[in-house]
Amino acid sequence: MAKKEIKKVVLAYSGGLDTSIIIPWLKENYNNCEVIAVSGDVGQGTELEGLEEKAIATGASKLYIEDLNKEFVEEFIWPTLKAGAVYENKYLLGTSFARPIIAKRIVEIAKAEGADAICHGCTGKGNDQVRFELTIKAFAPDMEIIAPWRTWEFKSREEEIAYAEEKNIPLKINRETNYSKDKNLWHLSHEGLDLEDPANEPMYNKEGFLELGVSPEQAPDVPTYVTISFEKGIPVAVDGEKLPAVEIVKKLNKLGGENGIGIVDMVENRLVGMKARGVYETPGGTILYAAHAKLEEICLDRDTLHYKQNVANRFAELVYFGQWYTPLREALSAFVDSTQQTVTGDVKFKLYKGNIIDAGVTSPYSLYDEDIATFDEDEVYDQNDSAGFINLFGLPIKVQAKKKGY
């Protein structure tokens, strides 16, 4: 079956359904090759518990669990947040920017171990296969890539479960709770089952569906106030308390989750061409995006803000498409960083039943001038100047109107 002799494979291992059955499948189909499992810890929490025992019990020779949380936030989440990048106006890219950092570490381990191939459990219908493989190509262009979902005999998750049961592989899911989920420090995604029909309302209040928080209906009847502080576009404190990057996300996840913040139901356009429906929980991230945008309202001039909004859309596509390690993404990040030099200040919100309500914003670099903006009498702005401005600004319209005979 193999194109070349494969003696050692490094597997991107989550311990979920797909990667759990891949270990025995690889050994069956690649001459009992050695399988080294690698799990990138980007905030999965309890999902990592018992992973080493499970990986070895199912045939892996060893398991690496790599703590990538700090790098994940500082080198992937913060640059994307500063860009204001949101895919299709809704998706805060939780899975998208987690894949490149994991894949890069897998390549490093594969090289250190002298592996013949890297294997992942992404389906042939999804975006993650692209994200993993583009990163592998960026750092190991000649590495063999094994993608079982594109070649193996299983055609559904139900068949995978049956194979796992045959091989006595323990699973945390069953046929009734078989949502496809991806969890990290930033978000949790839900796909599959009843969500595959966009006509179905997600069962937010069903026990076990939401994991990072509650639905807006179940949120407290009193609001929660929170203040986020930024320095050059980067969150540095919550309610006046300076915190490391990872702790900021965790604290805001808790506050947001408790107040029903950051639940998104969307049908998105996948890179591979199809539309797919998913539900995302991103409580802390939703607060941070709103706070960063609010601060930019007073810190960026009009032309920079508007141009940056165009950049944000392209940046989001690059992240979603798995093109993190590309010259264009790096160039756009350089542009974004140049716009963030004055994005420093405090943003106050009122969180209430799924809503983020503005409650004040301040910055030492604010471009808002109350003396100019006031409706009261002032000595700064001569309103008569606007007549000449309008005449010049509207001159093309006036010329066109005359040509039309008006």
Side-chain angles (χ1 to χ4, degrees):
M1 182 176 180
K3 295 180 181 179
K4 67 177 184 180
E5 185 67 19
I6 302 293
K7 296 181 179 179
K8 184 183 291 189
V9 178
V10 170
L11 169 66
Y13 185 73
S14 68
L17 174 60
D18 296 327
T19 57
S20 293
I21 68 171
I22 281 176
I23 295 175
W25 183 88
L26 283 171
K27 298 181 78 68
E28 287 178 358
N29 289 275
Y30 287 85
N31 299 317
N32 200 34
C33 64
E34 179 184 0
V35 179
I36 297 170
V38 178
S39 293
D41 179 2
V42 287
Q44 299 93 313
T46 57
E47 292 182 8
L48 297 172
E49 294 176 2
L51 219 53
E52 182 175 12
E53 179 182 354
K54 180 177 180 180
I56 292 175
T58 50
S61 62
K62 67 175 79 169
L63 170 68
Y64 288 86
I65 297 182
E66 302 293 294
D67 184 355
L68 304 173
N69 284 276
K70 184 175 183 292
E71 182 183 353
F72 178 41
V73 178
E74 294 180 351
E75 299 185 21
F76 292 80
I77 293 178
W78 284 174
T80 307
L81 170 68
K82 286 190 292 183
V86 182
Y87 186 69
E88 296 187 341
N89 299 314
K90 282 189 172 183
Y91 177 41
L92 297 185
L93 299 163
T95 298
S96 306
F97 49 33
R99 294 312 185 224
I101 184 176
I102 294 171
K104 182 174 183 287
R105 186 66 186 118
I106 288 170
V107 169
E108 292 167 352
I109 291 172
K111 288 182 175 180
E113 288 281 356
D116 304 302
I118 291 174
C119 178
H120 64 75
C122 308
T123 75
K125 288 185 176 181
N127 302 302
D128 279 346
Q129 59 182 333
V130 182
R131 296 163 184 156
F132 269 109
E133 294 186 30
L134 291 189
T135 300
I136 294 169
K137 292 179 186 299
F139 295 101
D142 296 323
M143 180 68 69
E144 182 87 7
I145 298 173
I146 300 173
W149 257 106
R150 299 203 286 255
T151 60
W152 66 10
E153 61 274 24
F154 309 119
K155 303 302 180 186
S156 68
R157 288 173 67 81
E158 287 73 19
E159 291 183 11
E160 289 183 274
I161 292 174
Y163 180 80
E165 292 170 345
E166 177 189 330
K167 299 294 182 181
N168 296 314
I169 298 172
L171 299 173
K172 294 182 180 179
I173 62 172
N174 56 47
R175 287 175 171 81
E176 288 71 41
T177 61
N178 186 22
Y179 287 107
S180 176
K181 296 189 177 186
D182 178 72
K183 182 180 181 180
N184 60 42
L185 183 66
W186 188 246
H187 89 153
L188 173 66
S189 64
H190 311 254
E191 293 179 306
L193 296 183
D194 55 298
L195 298 179
E196 291 189 345
D197 184 351
N200 292 332
E201 179 182 0
M203 296 181 286
Y204 295 129
N205 295 324
K206 180 181 179 181
E207 184 177 355
F209 183 77
L210 296 177
E211 297 182 27
L212 301 186
V214 299
S215 68
E217 298 96 321
Q218 294 175 318
D221 293 329
V222 293
T224 298
Y225 283 89
V226 62
T227 299
I228 301 107
S229 302
F230 291 81
E231 291 180 5
K232 295 185 177 181
I234 296 174
V236 294
V238 178
D239 290 331
E241 181 185 5
K242 291 251 183 180
L243 293 169
V246 171
E247 295 307 313
I248 286 176
V249 176
K250 287 182 177 180
K251 183 164 186 173
L252 291 175
N253 273 341
K254 183 175 184 299
L255 287 175
E258 290 170 348
N259 286 279
I261 303 294
I263 302 169
V264 167
D265 176 5
M266 69 179 293
V267 175
E268 70 199 58
N269 289 291
R270 284 183 178 171
L271 173 60
V272 293
M274 70 185 69
K275 289 185 181 291
R277 197 266 189 102
V279 170
Y280 298 103
E281 299 179 61
T282 321
T286 301
I287 296 171
L288 284 169
Y289 262 80
H292 182 262
K294 188 64 183 177
L295 189 56
E296 285 191 328
E297 284 182 12
I298 66 170
C299 293
L300 295 186
D301 65 277
R302 180 191 63 201
D303 289 348
T304 299
L305 179 63
H306 289 183
Y307 193 83
K308 185 174 176 290
Q309 289 170 346
N310 294 328
V311 169
N313 288 330
R314 188 68 182 100
F315 197 106
E317 286 182 339
L318 291 172
V319 178
Y320 189 86
F321 296 165
Q323 295 172 298
W324 185 270
Y325 297 108
T326 59
L328 179 55
R329 201 283 306 167
E330 293 172 359
L332 292 185
S333 282
F335 164 78
V336 168
D337 286 345
S338 74
T339 70
Q340 299 297 291
Q341 299 308 301
T342 60
V343 183
T344 295
D346 299 326
V347 180
K348 186 178 182 181
F349 285 144
K350 179 165 65 175
L351 311 179
Y352 183 67
K353 291 190 174 294
N355 296 290
I356 300 175
I357 303 166
D358 294 338
V361 56
T362 60
S363 170
Y365 302 102
S366 175
L367 299 177
Y368 178 83
D369 190 325
E370 188 173 351
D371 289 337
I372 294 177
T374 182
F375 284 100
D376 293 331
E377 184 178 354
D378 70 85
E379 298 179 357
V380 181
Y381 186 93
D382 187 347
Q383 298 194 31
N384 289 321
D385 291 342
S386 62
F389 166 74
I390 295 171
N391 285 335
L392 294 177
F393 191 64
L395 183 58
I397 297 175
K398 185 175 181 179
V399 171
Q400 286 287 338
K402 288 189 173 184
K403 288 291 184 183
K404 292 177 180 179
Y406 295 129

